[in-house]
């Protein structure tokens, strides 16, 4: 084995990073969360000791921090590794199709976020809305898709993270599978949603700093590449020695890539499933301020695009350009499927420093996304399983305790799922292209349920189920047909095999759901979904909502009831209208989300890539330079949006906290936040 094929870092470094994740970094972030929680409790009006604050941050987070949380939650291991792998395979088209194909879903989700605030402002999960509208059968069917989404996303995080740690350090994959979620679970349990968002903010800040470090290393300072012109020269040479099948002139510097386009379609379908059905994205919509929800998702989606596009255009292309370099390890198809071109390029460019930086970058991405998945699944298991089917009259303390337990439970499940996929030989890349096959069928039915009053219950359920089986059948039949009847992990992971399954799944599910809703439309007024959890938010004329657990003893009505009663013939709870939930303003926000997200979708998926595809344009030096510069500028704008903007919009809160700390230091405990008494007569 050549020196380039040896692990760049010692095995102890892998265990050190992973154990720091499980103990050191995990303990650091746990301490960080404890500090944030203590500061929050003392100097702000938000109490971390109730389930609303734990799971939804009291629905009061500003758009900049939500945008940062979206970027963090959407930055998986695949964002860093798979994007670079498709750049290695298809050239510049890979980063574009990866970035654009996973950005438009977040932009379109802004519409669902606006409808969520309009039609179910107090829901804890998207499944609560399904249950309130369509009952138990629909709730259980779509819970399967929701939890399947979380398991697949979590497995990709674990597989990608563990494969890269093993490649760079030689650490055993099994150990990495369990050590990764361990530390994350610690600080999620300690901090809850708001503190997790703040931790995501710190992760995102460091993440952009590291990405820009790699970008300027490759295109400005590296003696091996050092400029876009040198990159163009090396890629042109690579196209001669090993041209890309299906690309114009075999070039890496063209959008005319047949396989790149196929990947783009697969990517778009699969990511619709993982955004629309992942509670992590709904969680951020729930936590956001109603007036700024749409703004947060549009900013977050556009900011996120820079991460896979810039990093893959840097490390993915560098892995191609450095082929044959003594420091560059040879990559097998299995290595590429595991997402290892980025790691190989980082190590070849910067040696141990590059490998260590990429390892830190990967763990920041993995831990942020893992924390989002942990608290998302905790919310589903707490509110849609425990509270709905096991203990409908659960107290505040019981709900909070179960939320904590479910975080720990799913952390264990993540490690086990990663282990199972590892032993059956499934890589992150295979799972990434497969997810749309089994998840795509529920995308349209879920969107219709939240947004369209005419959506037909049984049509949407049937569409989700039929699409699920249609996707699997199309995938298996295509695999068998194209591979002489051989069906295994290798043959089933081809582009056409995955494309057929993805198209059949989302197509059949969407057609059945829309067609039945047009032929047999319902006339739903969303009153039952707007009444969700209103009782738990009601404030009695005496006391505060969380002053005593007895205030929680309000009987739950059936799902079609919109009334709120107290248990005894005492004072009726006073439900204060939220001025932020103005229906006129929310409908206006939905319209803005609709036209802006559709326009951005058309630009990113049609107006930019398709003319370049059909023109078979191969970039020259100036073209590649412009392409790279656009990515760098986008990266800087994104960093401003999710790093500096949240500080600016929270300046008043930060000033309040600093005043409180200053008073505590110099005035012996007088800085504690004291809530103002309610106006008389309320």
């Amino acid at each position: 084995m050549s020196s380039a094929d040896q692990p760049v870092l010692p095995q102890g470094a892998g265990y050190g990073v992973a154990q720091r994740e499980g103990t050191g970094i995990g303990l650091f972030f746990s301490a960080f969360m404890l500090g944030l929680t203590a500061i929050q409790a003392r100097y702000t009006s938000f109490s971390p000791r109730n389930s609303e604050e734990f799971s939804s941050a009291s629905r009061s987070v500003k758009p900049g921090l939500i945008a940062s949380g979206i970027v963090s939650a959407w930055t998986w291991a695949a964002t860093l590794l798979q994007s670079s792998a498709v750049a290695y395979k298809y050239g510049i088209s890979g980063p574009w199709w990866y970035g654009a194909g996973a950005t438009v879903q977040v932009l379109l989700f802004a519409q669902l976020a606006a409808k969520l605030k309009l039609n179910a402002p107090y829901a804890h999960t998207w499944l609560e809305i399904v249950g309130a509208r369509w009952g138990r059968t629909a709730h259980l069917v779509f819970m399967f898709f929701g939890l399947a989404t979380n398991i697949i996303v979590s497995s990709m995080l674990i597989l990608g993270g563990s494969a890269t740690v093993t490649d760079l350090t030689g650490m055993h994959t099994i150990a990495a599978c369990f050590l990764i979620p361990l530390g994350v679970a610690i600080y999620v349990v300690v901090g809850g949603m708001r503190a997790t968002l703040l931790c995501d903010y710190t992760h995102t800040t460091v993440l952009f700093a590291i990405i820009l470090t790699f970008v300027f290393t490759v295109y400005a300072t590296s003696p091996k590449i050092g400029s876009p012109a040198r990159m163009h020269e090396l890629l042109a040479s690579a196209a001669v020695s090993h041209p890309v099948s299906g690309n114009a002139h075999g070039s890496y510097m063209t959008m005319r890539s047949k396989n790149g386009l196929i990947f783009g379609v697969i990517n778009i379908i699969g990511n619709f499933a993982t955004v629309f059905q992942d509670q992590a994205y709904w969680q951020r919509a729930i936590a956001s301020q109603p007036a700024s929800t749409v703004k947060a998702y549009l900013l977050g989606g556009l900011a996120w695009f820079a991460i896979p596009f810039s990093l893959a255009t840097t490390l993915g292309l560098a892995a191609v350009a450095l082929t044959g370099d003594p420091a560059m390890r040879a990559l097998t198809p299995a290595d590429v499927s595991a997402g290892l071109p980025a790691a190989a390029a980082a190590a070849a460019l910067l040696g141990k420093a590059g490998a260590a930086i990429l390892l830190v970058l990967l763990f920041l991405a993995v831990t942020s996304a893992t924390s989002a998945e942990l608290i998302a699944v905790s919310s589903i298991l707490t509110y849609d399983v425990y509270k709905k089917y096991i203990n409908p009259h659960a107290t505040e303390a019981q709900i909070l305790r179960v939320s904590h337990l479910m975080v720990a439970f799913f952390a264990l499940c993540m490690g086990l799922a990663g282990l199972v996929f590892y032993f059956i030989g499934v890589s992150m890349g295979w799972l990434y292209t497969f997810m749309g096959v089994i998840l795509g069928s529920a995308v349209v039915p879920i969107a219709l349920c939240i947004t369209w009053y005419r959506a037909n219950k049984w049509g949407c359920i049937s569409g989700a189920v039929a699409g699920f089986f249609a996707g699997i059948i199309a995938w298996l039949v295509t695999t068998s047909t194209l591979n002489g009847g051989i069906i295994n992990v290798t043959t089933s992971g081809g582009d056409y095999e995955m494309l057929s399954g993805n198209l059949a799944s989302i197509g059949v599910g969407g057609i059945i759901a829309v067609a039945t809703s047009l032929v047999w439309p319902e006339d739903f007024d969303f009153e039952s979904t707007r009444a969700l959890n209103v009782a738990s938010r009601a404030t009695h004329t005496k006391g505060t909502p969380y002053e005593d657990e007895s205030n929680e003893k309000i009987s739950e009505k059936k799902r079609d009831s919109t009334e709120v009663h107290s248990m005894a013939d005492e004072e009726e709870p006073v439900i204060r209208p939220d001025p932020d939930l103005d229906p006129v303003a929310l409908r206006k926000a939905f319209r803005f989300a609709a036209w802006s997200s559709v326009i951005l979708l058309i630009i990113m998926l049609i107006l930019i890539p398709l003319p370049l595809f059909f023109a078979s344009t191969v970039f020259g030096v100036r073209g590649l330079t412009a392409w790279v510069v656009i990515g760098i500028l986008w990266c800087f704008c994104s960093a401003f949006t999710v790093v500096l903007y949240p500080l600016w919009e929270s300046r008043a809160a930060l000033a309040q906290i600093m005043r409180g700390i200053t008073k505590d230091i110099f005035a012996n405990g007088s800085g504690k936040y004291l809530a103002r008494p309610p106006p008389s007569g309320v």
Side-chain angles (χ1 to χ4, degrees), residues 54-67:
F54 181 84
S55 65
S56 61
S58 301
R59 307 168 196 266
S60 61
V61 184
K62 293 182 178 179
L65 190 57
I66 290 292

Side-chain angles (χ1 to χ4, degrees), residues 75-88 91-92 94-96 98-99 164 206-219 231 303-320 339 341-343 345-346 349-350 354 357-362 365 627-628 630-632 634-635:
T75 304
W76 305 344
T79 305
L80 309 175
L81 304 178
Q82 182 69 8
S83 62
S84 296
V86 293
Y88 182 83
I92 64 169
W96 180 270
Y98 189 101
T164 304
V206 178
L207 187 144
F208 271 104
I210 293 177
I211 289 175
L212 288 170
T213 298
F214 279 123
V215 168
F216 285 109
T217 296
V218 169
Y219 290 109
M231 175 68 84
W304 178 86
F305 173 83
I307 294 175
F309 180 71
S310 298
L311 188 71
T313 302
T314 300
L315 292 183
L317 295 183
V320 177
L349 288 164
L350 295 171
I357 292 172
L358 185 72
L359 207 55
V360 172
L361 178 66
L362 178 69
W627 192 259
V628 170
I630 290 171
I632 294 173
W634 201 315
C635 205

Side-chain angles (χ1 to χ4, degrees), residues 87 90-93 228-239 244 247-257 317 612 616-621 623-625 627:
Y90 311 129
I92 64 169
S93 69
R230 177 60 176 161
M231 175 68 84
H232 184 279
E233 179 185 341
L234 292 171
L235 292 178
S237 176
V244 184
N247 281 25
H249 307 293
S251 174
Y252 289 89
M253 296 172 287
T254 179
M255 288 294 292
R256 175 72 181 196
S257 173
L317 295 183
L612 291 172
S616 298
T617 303
V618 177
F619 286 164
V621 174
L624 182 63
T625 301
W627 192 259

Side-chain angles (χ1 to χ4, degrees), residues 117-134:
K117 294 299 185 183
L118 180 64
N119 294 334
Y122 302 124
H124 298 109
T125 69
W126 65 272
L127 285 165
E128 280 189 333
I129 306 172
V130 174
R133 177 170 182 176
W134 286 336

Side-chain angles (χ1 to χ4, degrees), residues 63 84 105 109 122 145 184 189 198 207 245 249 257 278 376 385 426 435 468 474 507 513 603 635 642 645 656 658 665:
S84 296
Q105 295 84 353
F109 191 87
Y122 302 124
F145 287 100
V184 184
V189 168
L198 292 173
L207 187 144
S245 175
H249 307 293
S257 173
D278 191 341
V385 178
V426 170
M435 59 189 180
F468 172 81
I603 292 172
C635 205
V642 297
Y645 177 56
Q656 173 187 319
M658 291 306 300
I665 294 173

Side-chain angles (χ1 to χ4, degrees), residues 92-171:
I92 64 169
S93 69
W96 180 270
W97 285 119
Y98 189 101
T103 294
V104 295
Q105 295 84 353
V106 179
L107 301 177
L108 292 172
F109 191 87
Q111 299 180 49
L112 297 185
K115 282 291 187 178
L116 170 74
K117 294 299 185 183
L118 180 64
N119 294 334
Y122 302 124
H124 298 109
T125 69
W126 65 272
L127 285 165
E128 280 189 333
I129 306 172
V130 174
R133 177 170 182 176
W134 286 336
R136 174 173 292 196
T137 300
H139 184 257
L140 293 174
V141 168
F142 287 104
M143 188 187 297
F144 163 79
F145 287 100
L147 291 177
T149 300
N150 293 117
I151 291 171
I152 288 177
V153 170
S154 300
S155 299
M156 283 192 288
L157 293 173
I158 301 301
L159 287 171
S162 60
T164 304
V165 173
T166 300
D167 178 69
L168 291 176
T169 69
M171 175 186 178

Side-chain angles (χ1 to χ4, degrees), residues 269-602:
I269 296 172
N271 283 304
F272 265 116
T274 52
V275 171
F276 283 34
Q277 295 167 209
D278 191 341
Q279 173 62 20
Y281 302 97
W282 294 94
Q283 202 98 13
R284 280 147 179 74
I286 291 167
S288 65
Q289 293 177 338
S292 56
T293 301
V294 169
K295 178 181 179 182
Y297 276 84
L298 293 177
L299 288 176
L302 290 173
W304 178 86
F305 173 83
I307 294 175
F309 180 71
S310 298
L311 188 71
T313 302
T314 300
L315 292 183
L317 295 183
V320 177
L322 295 176
T323 301
D325 186 274
M328 180 71 186
R329 59 163 293 186
L331 294 171
T332 66
D335 292 333
V336 176
S337 181
L340 299 182
L349 288 164
L350 295 171
K352 290 185 177 181
I357 292 172
L358 185 72
L359 207 55
V360 172
L361 178 66
L362 178 69
F363 271 96
L364 289 175
V366 169
T367 53
S368 293
T370 299
S371 67
E373 294 302 312
L374 287 173
I375 203 164
V377 174
S378 170
S379 295
I380 290 177
L381 296 179
T382 299
Y383 291 103
D384 290 288
V385 178
Y386 174 73
K387 193 171 189 298
K388 186 173 181 66
Y389 296 116
I390 298 174
N391 186 6
H393 302 289
T395 65
E396 178 70 24
Q398 290 173 325
I399 291 173
L400 190 59
R401 182 166 59 251
V402 171
S403 296
H404 291 164
L405 291 173
M406 292 303 103
V407 169
F409 169 73
F410 191 64
L412 178 61
C413 291
M414 288 179 71
L416 291 173
L419 201 62
V420 169
F421 284 118
Y422 168 72
F423 275 113
I424 64 177
V426 170
S427 67
M428 178 196 67
W430 189 96
L431 204 56
Y432 186 85
T433 54
F434 175 71
M435 59 189 180
V437 175
I438 62 172
L439 302 177
S441 63
V443 170
V444 175
I446 290 170
L448 296 181
C449 176
I450 307 299
T451 62
W452 195 25
Y453 71 100
R454 293 184 180 275
N456 181 280
K457 168 184 173 180
W458 293 109
C460 288
I461 294 174
S462 301
V465 175
F468 172 81
F469 287 108
I472 292 177
I473 291 170
W475 168 61
L476 292 176
V477 169
T478 305
T479 300
S480 178
T481 302
L482 296 181
N483 296 279
I486 300 174
I487 300 177
N488 55 38
V489 172
T490 302
T491 60
S492 63
D495 290 336
Y496 290 104
E497 293 84 348
M498 291 297 190
L499 178 65
S500 63
N502 275 265
L503 288 174
S505 181
I506 197 170
V508 171
I511 290 171
I512 292 177
V514 172
T516 54
S517 298
L518 291 173
V519 176
W520 299 288
E522 293 183 358
D523 188 15
F524 186 68
D525 58 11
F526 288 102
E527 287 304 314
S528 62
T529 60
R530 294 189 182 105
L532 273 171
N533 304 311
V534 169
S536 65
R537 296 181 60 85
T539 304
H540 283 277
T541 56
K542 295 181 181 180
T544 59
Y546 298 106
E547 183 178 42
D548 191 317
E549 284 187 7
S550 64
N551 290 340
E552 294 291 314
K553 297 179 180 178
I554 300 173
S555 63
E556 293 188 356
K557 303 299 291 180
K558 295 183 179 179
R559 65 180 182 86
D560 57 349
S561 172
T562 60
E563 300 180 32
V564 178
H565 297 286
S566 54
M567 287 288 289
D569 294 341
E570 299 175 356
E571 301 175 25
E572 290 290 327
V574 176
I575 303 174
R576 298 173 182 170
D578 189 338
D580 289 333
L581 296 175
D582 177 19
V584 175
L586 291 174
R587 289 190 181 95
K588 182 179 178 181
F590 172 76
R591 289 193 294 271
F592 174 76
W595 67 258
S596 58
S597 60
V598 170
I599 288 174
L600 289 169
L601 180 150
I602 292 172

